[in-house]
Amino acid sequence: MNEVAAPTQHAALAARVSEACSQAGLVGEPHAEALAALEAIDYPTTRQERWRYTRVARFLEVAPSAPADLTAPPAVVGNLEALRFTFVAGQYINGDVLDEGADGCFAGPVSLALERYPERLKGWSKSDFSTREWFAALQASAPQDGVCILVPEGKSLPRPVLAHHHMPDGVHVSQPRDLIHIGNNAAAEAILWSDNAAQSAGMLNAAITASVGDGASLSLEIVQDEPGSVHHMGHHHFTQGSNSKLTLRTATACAHWLRNDLHIVQDGTHADSTFHGCYLPNGRQFVDHHTRIDHAHPDGQSNELYKGLAADKSTAVFNGKIMVHKDAQRIEAYQSNSNLLLGEQASMYSKPELEIYADDVRCSHGCTTGQFDKEALFYLRSRGMTETAAHNLLVQAFLAEVLNGFRPEIRDHVHAVFSRRLGWN
Amino acid sequence: MSAAEENPLLDEFTRKEYEFGFTTDIDADKLPPGLNEGVIRLISSKKNEPEWMLQWRLDAFRVWQSMKEPDWAHVNYEKPDYQAISYYSAPKSKVPLGSLDEVDPELRATMDKLGISMEEQKRLSGVAVDFVMDSVSVATSFKDKLAELGIIFCSMSEAIQEHPELVRKHIGSVVPVKDNFFSALNSAVFTDGSFCYIPKGAKCPMELSTYFRINEAGTGQFERTLLIAEEGSYVSYLEGCTAPQRDENQLHAAVVELVAKDDAEIKYSTVQNWYPGDAEGKGGVFNFVTKRGICETRAKISWTQVETGSAVTWKYPSCILKGDGSIGEFYSVAVTNNAQQADTGTKMIHLGANTHSTIISKGISAGNSQNSYRGLVQIGPRARNARNFSQCDSLLMTDTSGAHTFPYIETKNPTAHVEHEATTSRIGEDQIFYCLQRGLTEEQAIGLIVNGYAKEVLNKLPMEFAVEARKLLTISLEGSVG
């Protein structure tokens, strides 16, 4: 447990990361508050409650180099019609920029949005993670390019946006920021996809900041399909207005080491948030989903469902917090986390939390960790299935509740990745 | 509209004075405030302890000095000044006690006010009561009857004198000195407590019970309880607390250790009603308790607690399920009112195969209080077929109170089944309406609903205690709860 890093070590890491990102090209100015926070915040250790199960000491060894190869990776889910944008190691490569002018929709790289509409992006790099978490502060201190989606009041995007972040072979650091702003009564759909080359390593320290206006809706699918040995730290921050609807689905299809910090703030009444996720670490992989929803206003609803399994010697972590603020009455908040533990040496850490300061609420959480249902297994085997086939079918059925919510192209892709990794079929 | 206007019953209940707040005037043999090695040596010599005990205390003190007071709990209080507390106080009127008539009349009156008159207890319920006034055991009954079965039930200081080998072997074996800040402090300065030893195969024929009371103003009370159940034995132990009204915060840092050998069963029930402070939270007891039991093969430990008092509670009665097939249970009702804060729950540590644990926790928050459940279920890599079921429900009575749940579920064995569920809600208007329709008053209706809500836990209490627990719950929620 001796993970306390000497201050110089993480300061040195910050300097290396800053330099590597600057060489590759920063987007916008580093955030002054983030720079101050980077100095002030301690490097996470397992002694801190939020980092109890997440070891980040190894990050300190990351020594990145600027990527030489910036060729675009092959397109993902080619059969999906979308506005596509490709980023390699935090740099914009190509894409179908949509620009309807100063009053219209915009979809393109953040760098271009900053150039064309700086006034629309005022305060864009602000995320409350960046003043609270060391890695988020690091991201904001040297931000790189990501997708920017701006939908003004009453408009909607003609097609979904697919932003593809890729890490090439070699040891690199990438700190992209995706930015989504949906105006009042507007709507958008987007897919944020991250993948890696097989020989990639280093750190992907990515941030997503989104605001959904009053009466607006945002449907976002996040796919993390990352072979290689990149350490992925994600900071996903969402703010919702009154009567808004947020649907967020995260599929961690493959990850060497991954932590997602998701924070949703319902900043208006009658907001509705649905956030689902699935994960399936195997080998010695590590997947950590930290989620938090703040019901700050009355009459909100939230529905959280995270399902996953841990095979071999892998570790899965789920930490979900429902926070109901004072006077946020008539909240309905449901959280469910189910896990299957498949490996003899796999570990599952689950911490579903409720923090409630209002009395007229209906909140519940449920959490299970277990094995295959023996009766179900017996039933399938008595129908002539091998044990492996029966296991696989049950795993697929277990994950279907989450996976079926994705659009079919993505569901099929994630399913294929899981199949390949666990040897289904 | 304020909560008071909305619900006069609730308001009345919220403003209710603490019923058991009274002080007994007895001369106490009391050390001046402060803590250093000299104080520990003095406590040890006053109690005429053997050298090993003194050394153990001193080691604990050194460990404590290097530790920091924990601040991870969901409670907010002004940390006590550990140098402003007197670490020893004993009633002076210590006479050899053969019968109850010899007990100091003042003490007797106190007991009567608490409703635990010893004669009554003796005559009606057959409960042997080891009554602790401040830190020294004052009266013990039914001792002879227990002695016939080879059961030892005495104060800790007596046990150190008369059964040093048992104490030395087991003290600190379940809650190590270094376990936490408060257990280290307790190990250094504990003055008394209860000791119980059930020999192999013995079934204790009566409920053993102890009443604790903090009496002297500004006196911290550091109880140490050690309960050993040998192979195949059974014991049910009851512990109840009330404390008099005081304006300064009183610290209660007890340690309870249970050892259940193979096939033994220990049932440990607590009703806790320390003084919670006034409506603004002024005064009131800090209850920072470490309770833990260890289960050998097929042994069973069951914790039942009804928590209604204390300004701040920090308490996690836990089970280490070491032996194969052992069972741990935790049933809790925690009521917080006014400015009370409770962070309570349990730890179920599954080490052996086929171990089972059940957690039922019911929280009720009223006034401006904060009530948290914090529980750990840990399944070790060797705990094949371990099974846990946890249920944590919270009931909110006012919109100024808070109810929180912080479960930790750590699983390292694929054959384990762990389930956790929690709900938070308030009493439904439809439920109250239904009762009103049937001719109940609103007060009766709320009482009915709350008692039904807590029934699962109250039913686990031994008969003798269940009556008192219901009474306590009623008193705590009087005005709003029948």
Side-chain angles (χ1 to χ4, degrees), chain B residues 173-200:
Chain B
S173 68
V174 188
V175 179
V177 169
K178 286 180 195 164
D179 191 77
N180 65 69
F181 181 82
F182 300 113
S183 74
L185 177 65
N186 175 286
S187 303
V189 302
F190 76 88
T191 41
D192 215 334
S194 297
F195 175 84
C196 180
Y197 177 84
I198 318 289
K200 193 173 168 179

Side-chain angles (χ1 to χ4, degrees), chain B residues 367-384:
Chain B
N368 298 309
S369 66
Q370 300 296 332
N371 198 335
S372 311
Y373 165 83
R374 185 183 302 274
L376 168 72
V377 175
Q378 193 176 58
I379 312 286
R382 278 185 293 278
R384 292 199 69 78

Side-chain angles (χ1 to χ4, degrees), chain A residues 337-417:
Chain A
N337 172 232
S338 305
N339 303 290
L340 281 178
L341 212 51
L342 297 187
E344 281 294 326
Q345 292 175 54
S347 306
M348 176 67 223
Y349 302 103
S350 180
K351 191 180 167 206
E353 297 173 67
L354 295 176
E355 216 173 308
I356 293 163
Y357 298 93
D359 64 337
D360 188 4
V361 297
R362 280 176 203 272
C363 293
S364 73
H365 65 204
C367 166
T368 58
T369 301
Q371 251 291 344
F372 293 115
D373 181 349
K374 285 203 178 82
E375 282 186 28
L377 261 185
F378 179 79
Y379 176 86
L380 293 176
R381 296 211 59 196
S382 70
R383 294 292 177 284
M385 285 180 113
T386 63
E387 192 165 346
T388 320
H391 276 179
N392 292 341
L393 190 64
L394 288 177
V395 169
Q396 288 166 41
F398 175 74
L399 292 175
E401 199 181 350
V402 172
L403 274 184
N404 286 349
F406 286 85
R407 63 187 76 222
E409 298 87 347
I410 292 178
R411 182 196 63 208
D412 294 345
H413 176 89
V414 175
H415 189 266
V417 174

Side-chain angles (χ1 to χ4, degrees), chain B residues 144-219:
Chain B
D144 297 340
K145 202 170 169 189
L146 293 173
E148 278 172 35
L149 289 162
I151 294 172
I152 305 165
F153 180 41
C154 61
S155 70
M156 198 61 167
S157 27
E158 209 179 320
I160 292 170
Q161 302 299 330
E162 290 174 22
H163 310 284
E165 69 299 336
L166 281 176
V167 175
R168 196 172 182 181
K169 185 176 167 196
H170 292 107
I171 196 166
S173 68
V174 188
V175 179
V177 169
K178 286 180 195 164
D179 191 77
N180 65 69
F181 181 82
F182 300 113
S183 74
L185 177 65
N186 175 286
S187 303
V189 302
F190 76 88
T191 41
D192 215 334
S194 297
F195 175 84
C196 180
Y197 177 84
I198 318 289
K200 193 173 168 179
K203 305 269 184 248
C204 188
M206 62 189 84
E207 318 273 356
L208 300 180
S209 120
T210 312
Y211 281 79
F212 297 103
R213 244 167 95 67
I214 298 178
N215 191 264
E216 201 65 23
T219 306

